[in-house]
Amino acid sequence: MNEHMFDHRKIGRELGLFDSDPLIGAGLPYWLPAGAAVRRALESYIVEVERRAGYQQVYSPVLAKRELYEISGHWAKYHDDMYPPMDMGAEQLVLRPSICPHHALMYRSRSHSYRELPLRMSELGGQYRAELSGAIGGLSRVRAMQLNDAHIFCRLDQVADEAADALRLINQAYADMGIAASRYVLALPAADAEFNSPASKYVGDAASWAQAADLLRNVLKDAGIDYEEAPGDAAFYGPKIDIQMEDSAGREFSLSTVQIDFHQPAAFGLEYVGADGNKHRPVMVHRAIVGSIERAMAQLIEVHGGAFPAWLAPVQLVVLPISDDEEQLAAQIARRAVDRGLRVEIAHADEGGLGARIRENRLAPYQAVIGAREAAGGELAVRERDGSRWGAPISEALDRIRDAAEPRAIAISRSEDA
């Protein structure tokens, strides 16, 4: 076990972040208020980072006809990880194992010009994997997940830049989240792989696979990233960059990915009108900044042990009135903090001595103590989680905390916009 990390299953339950129940089922955790707050902050961050990077957010159903996955190749090549189809009259519906076929159909629903490309389509959507009971555990491996997924439809000459930009977004998110990859893997087909035969694990043709692999190799090399090649680990439709993480027990898992897919655009007949007026086939770049929200949350808990970065903390500011005399002012301050978008709690005077309440709320990034002196001067005495202390007028202090509790990437973007 990695002694510098926390077991997310133990810490997550102790801190009231998530739990499970046999009546809901194994591999199907639920989120308690504190965990839901962290999750919502992470999801909001992803949506905002993607928006600033030119992505358009969409929603699609978690069910589809079996025929959709027959066309995409999932039914033939990924069937063992899918739930059985549900008979609905003459149709069979399937819980989706992946979001990409839905996005391919959404692209196909409209005509497109080369001027629109790259078209970046993102979704925080549910998907389902039929994991065996022995394989599931905590948040790292679940049966129902919320995926931070996106698909970029682009020209062949745009693929390398789009894959490189996706990799930059992933590394930027890791820096903001305070986590680090254990290694980067280029997942390739097996050395003796056959393509597009019923017995093969892979669809498509050898030339397209080699082209996609070379594109991803160059993206990694141009980024100066050390990586390992993993023959046999590719997706059934194309090679991919997998960004690996390590958990508290030393087990490794994939969190984020960048993939190049020539197959599904062909399978679904995707097209765009080029500058020459003719129809051309786009390339599909799959990418997930943080992969499944569940797996990202597991890593955040294991790395930070509940002491999350300020922008992710379930409670960002705890207001501590020293006595009952400051309770009314504490409530007013809490309301003003909420109006600034902060997540706030009051540690009331009747809940124990000041020292005990400070220790009880030690995981909060900011604590604001209000005594008679602060009340008289209209100020807050602020304690940060790292032990530093400072004071300022109430409005100024709340503004400073709000600004500090913003992810670095978004704060930088705001300053650039200004």
Side-chain angles (χ1 to χ4, degrees):
M1 181 169 174
N2 189 329
E3 62 183 11
H4 301 296
M5 298 181 76
F6 301 86
D7 184 336
H8 81 273
R9 295 166 298 181
K10 180 175 183 290
I11 295 293
R13 288 179 169 87
E14 287 176 356
L15 298 179
L17 299 173
F18 72 93
D19 214 325
S20 59
D21 192 288
L23 282 177
I24 295 176
L28 300 168
Y30 57 79
W31 297 92
L32 295 162
V38 181
R39 172 175 165 166
R40 178 62 60 87
L42 180 59
E43 291 175 347
S44 297
Y45 164 80
I46 291 165
V47 169
E48 179 63 9
V49 165
E50 288 178 339
R51 184 187 71 80
R52 290 172 178 271
Y55 287 79
Q56 300 176 63
Q57 195 79 17
V58 299
Y59 295 99
S60 57
V62 298
L63 286 168
K65 292 168 65 173
R66 170 177 165 174
E67 182 182 357
L68 174 66
Y69 301 106
E70 290 173 344
I71 295 170
S72 70
H74 286 82
W75 191 257
K77 307 299 183 184
Y78 202 72
H79 180 263
D80 290 344
D81 293 296
M82 297 175 63
Y83 282 99
M86 296 172 276
D87 293 324
M88 299 293 291
E91 297 180 342
Q92 286 192 322
L93 296 179
V94 180
L95 281 168
R96 67 180 176 193
S98 296
I99 296 172
C100 44
H102 291 250
H103 287 187
L105 291 186
M106 294 168 80
Y107 176 91
R108 196 176 73 177
S109 69
R110 303 286 186 274
S111 60
H112 300 280
S113 161
Y114 72 98
R115 297 182 185 278
E116 296 175 63
L117 306 185
L119 192 158
R120 306 179 186 98
M121 193 180 294
S122 62
E123 179 171 359
L124 279 165
Q127 67 178 37
Y128 302 83
R129 303 282 171 86
E131 301 280 6
L132 298 175
S133 296
I136 57 180
L139 299 175
S140 298
R141 204 168 185 95
V142 294
R143 287 173 168 160
M145 67 196 76
Q146 198 76 5
L147 194 70
N148 157 230
D149 207 7
H151 299 93
I152 303 161
F153 302 89
C154 59
R155 304 189 312 264
L156 180 59
D157 63 298
Q158 297 171 321
V159 170
D161 285 344
E162 290 302 311
D165 286 345
L167 200 55
R168 279 193 287 272
L169 280 183
I170 290 167
N171 291 329
Q172 172 184 298
Y174 288 4
D176 278 347
M177 294 162 67
I179 62 176
S182 59
R183 63 190 180 113
Y184 291 75
V185 174
L186 178 58
L188 301 169
D192 58 350
E194 295 182 7
F195 298 97
N196 216 24
S197 69
S200 170
K201 288 174 57 179
Y202 312 107
V203 294
D205 59 86
S208 294
W209 275 81
Q211 185 178 22
D214 284 342
L215 282 164
L216 290 177
R217 279 193 191 95
N218 289 332
V219 165
L220 286 163
K221 289 175 182 175
D222 290 346
I225 293 173
D226 293 330
Y227 67 95
E228 301 170 27
E229 295 195 356
D233 286 354
F236 71 84
Y237 49 76
K240 56 180 179 169
I241 298 170
D242 280 335
I243 295 93
Q244 303 293 99
M245 293 283 167
E246 191 174 286
D247 69 10
S248 60
R251 295 177 297 244
E252 199 175 61
F253 60 88
S254 298
L255 186 62
S256 310
T257 187
V258 181
Q259 309 172 11
I260 295 176
D261 181 1
F262 289 100
H263 165 71
Q264 289 191 72
F268 287 104
L270 306 186
E271 297 175 336
Y272 68 90
V273 178
D276 57 4
N278 296 322
K279 291 181 177 179
H280 300 268
R281 180 142 292 144
V283 182
M284 201 169 170
V285 177
H286 306 234
R287 61 103 283 224
I289 295 178
V290 298
S292 81
I293 297 298
E294 289 77 10
R295 190 168 278 185
M297 286 287 292
Q299 186 69 4
L300 284 166
I301 295 167
E302 299 218 337
V303 168
H304 298 296
F308 299 106
W311 66 275
L312 275 170
V315 178
Q316 296 167 310
L317 171 64
V318 177
V319 183
L320 300 104
I322 289 180
S323 70
D324 291 341
D325 293 338
E326 292 83 43
E327 284 284 344
Q328 186 174 354
L329 179 58
Q332 294 172 2
I333 291 167
R335 282 195 298 270
R336 291 168 67 178
V338 168
D339 289 343
R340 286 167 168 79
L342 291 167
R343 296 183 290 277
V344 188
E345 283 187 0
I346 301 174
H348 297 283
D350 61 4
E351 294 175 1
L354 180 62
R357 285 181 284 147
I358 288 172
R359 288 190 297 275
E360 179 69 22
N361 293 283
R362 64 191 177 279
L363 294 179
Y366 297 95
Q367 298 181 355
V369 177
I370 311 168
R373 184 174 59 185
E374 289 79 20
E379 293 196 349
L380 292 183
V382 178
R383 294 168 174 258
E384 296 191 25
R385 188 166 53 203
D386 63 5
S388 58
R389 303 184 188 188
W390 50 273
I394 293 171
S395 291
E396 181 183 327
L398 294 178
D399 288 345
R400 179 172 165 180
I401 293 169
R402 176 200 60 201
D403 293 344
E406 186 171 53
R408 182 173 178 273
I410 293 175
I412 290 172
S413 296
R414 291 197 202 284
S415 65
E416 289 174 346
D417 291 346

